[in-house]
Amino acid sequence: MTVENLEKELKQEKLHSIYLFYGEETYLLENAVKKIKKIFGDLILGINYIQINETNVNGLISDIETPAFGYDKKLIIVKNSNILKKEKKSNTKSNTDLQKKISEYIKENIKTIDQTTVLIFIEEELIKCDLTNTIQELGEVCNFERLKPIELKKRLKTICNMYQVNIDENTLQYFIETCGTNMQVLINEIRKLIEYEGKNGTIKKEDIDKLSIKELESRIFDLTDNLGKRDITKVLEMLKELLYNKEPIQKIFITLYGHFKKLYITKIAINEKLNIAESLNLKPNQTFLVNKYTMQSKYFKEAELRKLLQEFIDLDYKSKSGAIDLNVGLEAVLCRYCS
């Protein structure tokens, strides 16, 4: 089941008896769970609402069998139970046994479950096992993967329309490139802009630059643009700004290294006429980055990028051995490139 179809069904207050939710887009996942709870109405913990985690997952079957006294149905949410996670070899047998036990119970008692229970399994990722096969056969499985830019823009445009605030296609694209693809972050940021513009206002690029919190990757793009222009003053200002905003120097360093590695891969892909998105291993919701990496790679020669990457590797070794402070060393690498 797609997220869109799930949302349509929940809008119609249609519920299935068994769900398996998984994926990275936790905002939409949690929103779906909230809607299911709302459909249920009053939820009394321990009566018609049961929460299962790794500490009490062994009692799941018992909880399913216990009547929801005074209520037609009960809602059971199995979250962070590790029952559908890949386990270490030492725990695999006990986990597999429990998976099979629950799977067999659901198959044998599905008619009763349909009448008395809504059972939701929530996991980070989907693995193949008897239990997931049973859920796919008898219930609904929904992958809450990160939304593609076109889907994000559609949802953000809907929110703006609700508050009668205007935003055009190009500004929406810039907003996503600036703030990232996490739906919760985007909603928080678009609400700030909506409040700022007010009814019948129009969100503009300069408003995004002024009010929105840029994703670290977006700020690294900006820093690299200035590095490509050999503007060391601006580069060091941006580095200090990142540190002032409490970004750990180690995180900045790792992100910068990863960014230049992607630029190097992009440069090679262009020269070898390879597919850039595949070479960078971009997810479907990240393909808009191809153009950004392509444009930025023009600032650098392949040999320059290779040398920068080697300097980052050398700096990592020296900082870990105590030979140089990471912050000082990073500034030195950037200054050498611009000199």
Side-chain angles (χ1 to χ4, degrees):
M1 176 181 281
T2 64
V3 174
E4 192 174 53
N5 286 338
L6 173 65
E7 290 175 337
K8 285 179 181 177
E9 288 194 353
L10 294 180
K11 196 172 183 180
Q12 298 164 0
E13 298 194 355
K14 178 183 177 182
L15 292 178
H16 297 271
S17 55
I18 304 175
Y19 292 101
L20 169 55
F21 295 159
Y22 72 101
E24 294 181 276
E25 189 44 81
T26 55
Y27 172 79
L28 293 180
L29 190 157
E30 290 169 4
N31 202 39
V33 174
K34 286 179 184 177
K35 288 178 181 177
I36 291 173
K37 288 180 178 179
K38 188 175 180 181
I39 292 169
F40 260 78
D42 291 332
L43 290 171
I44 310 300
L45 190 62
I47 304 297
N48 71 334
Y49 177 42
I50 308 295
Q51 295 177 318
I52 300 288
N53 55 42
E54 62 180 336
T55 64
N56 60 350
V57 67
N58 288 315
L60 176 58
I61 292 174
S62 175
D63 283 317
I64 295 172
E65 291 178 332
T66 304
F69 299 103
Y71 295 89
D72 294 331
K73 284 191 173 186
K74 72 170 73 170
L75 174 63
I76 300 179
I77 297 179
V78 185
K79 184 177 182 181
N80 299 327
S81 67
N82 293 326
I83 187 63
L84 291 174
K85 275 190 176 180
K86 291 178 181 176
E87 294 294 322
K88 295 177 181 177
K89 289 184 179 180
S90 58
N91 299 326
T92 299
K93 189 177 186 307
S94 60
N95 216 35
T96 302
D97 289 344
L98 183 56
Q99 288 170 358
K100 287 182 177 179
K101 185 178 178 182
I102 295 172
S103 175
E104 289 169 5
Y105 176 83
I106 290 174
K107 285 180 181 178
E108 293 169 3
N109 297 275
I110 187 60
K111 289 184 179 179
T112 303
I113 292 171
D114 284 340
Q115 295 173 353
T116 64
T117 309
V118 171
L119 181 60
I120 305 174
F121 292 89
I122 300 174
E123 296 291 340
E124 291 179 3
E125 60 181 335
L126 184 67
I127 66 164
K128 286 293 181 182
C129 66
D130 287 348
L131 183 51
T132 54
N133 291 337
T134 297
I135 296 171
Q136 286 176 320
E137 179 186 348
L138 301 174
E140 296 293 340
V141 178
C142 187
N143 179 10
F144 289 83
E145 60 185 346
R146 287 286 179 91
L147 298 177
K148 296 176 183 178
I150 191 169
E151 296 166 323
L152 288 169
K153 284 188 277 189
K154 182 180 176 182
R155 287 176 181 268
L156 293 169
K157 183 69 173 175
T158 299
I159 294 171
C160 290
N161 289 342
M162 284 170 56
Y163 291 93
Q164 298 179 45
V165 172
N166 304 306
I167 185 168
D168 62 36
E169 186 77 10
N170 290 335
T171 307
L172 270 173
Q173 180 67 33
Y174 180 73
F175 177 65
I176 292 168
E177 290 177 4
T178 299
C179 300
T181 57
N182 182 291
M183 193 64 189
Q184 180 65 74
V185 172
L186 289 173
I187 287 177
N188 291 342
E189 295 303 315
I190 203 71
R191 282 175 176 164
K192 283 196 298 188
L193 293 164
I194 287 170
E195 287 290 329
Y196 178 74
E197 292 297 343
K199 187 176 179 181
N200 297 322
T202 300
I203 296 172
K204 300 172 286 297
K205 285 185 179 181
E206 50 264 38
D207 301 327
I208 296 168
D209 290 334
K210 183 163 55 177
L211 298 175
S212 296
I213 298 173
K214 284 193 172 186
E215 185 187 43
L216 177 58
E217 187 174 330
S218 177
R219 287 181 283 175
I220 293 297
F221 264 110
D222 292 343
L223 187 152
T224 308
D225 270 337
N226 286 292
L227 189 69
K229 295 171 185 174
R230 302 297 206 275
D231 188 346
I232 189 58
T233 301
K234 191 66 177 176
V235 168
L236 295 179
E237 280 179 6
M238 296 187 76
L239 183 59
K240 285 182 171 63
E241 185 182 335
L242 286 170
L243 294 169
Y244 179 78
N245 290 328
K246 308 298 184 185
E247 289 288 0
I249 184 62
Q250 191 68 35
K251 185 178 179 182
I252 296 169
F253 177 67
I254 291 169
T255 307
L256 264 173
Y257 174 79
H259 185 76
F260 281 106
K261 185 177 179 181
K262 287 176 181 175
L263 288 177
Y264 182 57
I265 292 170
T266 301
K267 201 76 176 174
I268 292 173
I270 292 170
N271 293 338
E272 299 292 330
K273 297 181 180 179
L274 303 173
N275 183 293
I276 296 173
E278 289 180 4
S279 299
L280 292 173
N281 197 27
L282 296 178
K283 296 179 181 178
N285 67 317
Q286 297 176 314
T287 52
F288 69 91
L289 291 171
V290 169
N291 187 53
K292 295 186 73 174
Y293 282 119
T294 301
M295 295 301 292
Q296 198 165 78
S297 69
K298 293 177 182 179
Y299 284 123
F300 306 91
K301 296 176 182 177
E302 187 177 318
E304 290 176 329
L305 289 168
R306 187 165 56 246
K307 183 181 178 183
L308 272 170
L309 288 174
Q310 186 58 53
E311 289 205 52
F312 277 123
I313 292 169
D314 293 342
L315 174 58
D316 181 57
Y317 174 78
K318 290 177 182 177
S319 66
K320 286 176 179 175
S321 63
I324 191 171
D325 176 77
L326 183 56
N327 192 0
V328 173
L330 182 55
E331 288 185 1
V333 169
L334 298 175
C335 287
R336 271 197 300 274
Y337 176 78
C338 289
S339 64

